[in-house]
Amino acid sequence: MSVVVFGSLNHDTSLWLPHFPSPDETLPVVRIEEFCGGKGANQATAAARLGAEVAMIGCVGDDPFGRTLTDQLVVNGVNVDHVRIVEGTTGRAFPIIADGEVIILIAAGANAVTGVADADAAADTIAAADVLLLQGEVGADGARRAAELAKEANTLVVFNPAPVVADVAAAILPFADIVTPNRAELEQIDVPDGVRLVVTLGPEGALVDEAIAIPTFPTDVIDPTGAGDS
């Protein structure tokens, strides 16, 4: 299967806390680590590790974080011919992990300039793919254009509406074949009739088309960051 991902690439600085802080509370950080992330790059990495032929479309900054991200995608077997290097900083994410849950703070950086030109430059790649994966961490215009190109070529469009950004969701949903929100995200979007719905339920698995329950694999949760992406 061939998969193309139009989306975000972030450098993550993850902080583990004993619990989520209350206002005015100072907490010790139990653990701190640096990771390659971004919802788009996470999707690309997961698909490549499962054996798909994967291409990534997006932007990174002209900085060490950007070079690390592209190098790591290549290590995982992802084609980065359509990852554009732009002036400025690479996107950053700051996951805060406590009690088996995660809160993520995002600084868009180069992801904010991923746009129509990037989709058009990769039009042949999108048309040749079996599946296009989209998320909410890049702008509406570029995401819409990628979805349009996919639809014209009968490439399956899968949209993970995370984070929910109103104009991005409105731009992509009319072109989506499959939408994969969690419960909170589902309450914030209007899924068109005829779109297949896969609602992720954390430890309870997933619910397909509001009827088919898919259980999780038994596991010990170490870090939930990126679980919804993959």
Side-chain angles (χ1 to χ4, degrees), residues 130-151:
D130 296 308
V131 180
L132 170 69
L133 301 181
L134 296 161
Q135 340 74 42
E137 287 186 336
V138 295
D141 291 342
R144 176 194 288 273
R145 181 58 179 153
E148 287 175 341
L149 291 166
K151 212 63 174 175

Side-chain angles (χ1 to χ4, degrees), residues 197-221:
L197 183 63
V198 180
V199 181
T200 60
L201 305 173
E204 300 169 28
L207 187 65
V208 180
D209 294 335
E210 301 183 281
I212 305 168
I214 308 297
T216 57
F217 294 100
T219 187
D220 292 324
V221 176

Side-chain angles (χ1 to χ4, degrees), residues 142-168:
R144 176 194 288 273
R145 181 58 179 153
E148 287 175 341
L149 291 166
K151 212 63 174 175
E152 291 169 3
N154 293 318
T155 297
L156 190 76
V157 178
V158 180
F159 177 40
N160 177 15
V164 175
V165 180
D167 64 335
V168 176

Side-chain angles (χ1 to χ4, degrees), residues 39 43 134-136 157-165 169 173 176-192 195-202 205-210 227-229:
K39 295 184 183 301
Q43 287 183 329
L134 296 161
Q135 340 74 42
V157 178
V158 180
F159 177 40
N160 177 15
V164 175
V165 180
L173 283 168
D177 297 297
I178 300 172
V179 180
T180 64
N182 61 29
R183 284 169 286 198
E185 292 155 0
L186 179 61
E187 294 178 357
Q188 301 174 64
I189 61 175
D190 293 319
V191 180
V195 174
R196 300 211 68 183
L197 183 63
V198 180
V199 181
T200 60
L201 305 173
L207 187 65
V208 180
D209 294 335
E210 301 183 281
D229 309 334

Side-chain angles (χ1 to χ4, degrees), residues 3-230:
V3 174
V4 61
V5 181
F6 186 92
S8 58
L9 301 97
N10 289 327
H11 180 84
D12 291 5
T13 299
S14 296
L15 305 175
W16 279 260
L17 304 181
H19 59 265
F20 289 117
S22 301
D24 297 325
E25 182 178 11
T26 299
L27 282 178
V29 174
V30 176
R31 173 181 160 203
I32 181 169
E33 289 197 32
E34 307 282 327
F35 296 103
C36 294
K39 295 184 183 301
N42 287 344
Q43 287 183 329
T45 299
R49 288 181 177 181
L50 287 170
E53 178 184 335
V54 183
M56 180 76 209
I57 307 167
C59 294
V60 295
D62 186 14
D63 57 22
F65 292 146
R67 290 187 286 276
T68 297
L69 284 165
T70 54
D71 289 348
Q72 194 61 35
L73 285 171
V74 170
V75 167
N76 280 285
V78 177
N79 182 305
V80 295
D81 289 348
H82 294 291
V83 175
R84 183 163 59 101
I85 300 171
V86 301
E87 290 186 8
T89 60
T90 296
R92 301 289 307 276
F94 302 89
I96 301 171
I97 300 139
D99 304 320
E101 301 287 344
V102 61
I103 295 171
I104 303 176
L105 311 177
I106 297 288
N111 296 310
V113 302
T114 302
V116 173
D118 297 290
D120 285 337
D124 290 345
T125 300
I126 293 171
D130 296 308
V131 180
L132 170 69
L133 301 181
L134 296 161
Q135 340 74 42
E137 287 186 336
V138 295
D141 291 342
R144 176 194 288 273
R145 181 58 179 153
E148 287 175 341
L149 291 166
K151 212 63 174 175
E152 291 169 3
N154 293 318
T155 297
L156 190 76
V157 178
V158 180
F159 177 40
N160 177 15
V164 175
V165 180
D167 64 335
V168 176
I172 298 174
L173 283 168
F175 301 96
D177 297 297
I178 300 172
V179 180
T180 64
N182 61 29
R183 284 169 286 198
E185 292 155 0
L186 179 61
E187 294 178 357
Q188 301 174 64
I189 61 175
D190 293 319
V191 180
D193 292 339
V195 174
R196 300 211 68 183
L197 183 63
V198 180
V199 181
T200 60
L201 305 173
E204 300 169 28
L207 187 65
V208 180
D209 294 335
E210 301 183 281
I212 305 168
I214 308 297
T216 57
F217 294 100
T219 187
D220 292 324
V221 176
I222 297 172
D223 179 0
T225 309
D229 309 334
S230 57

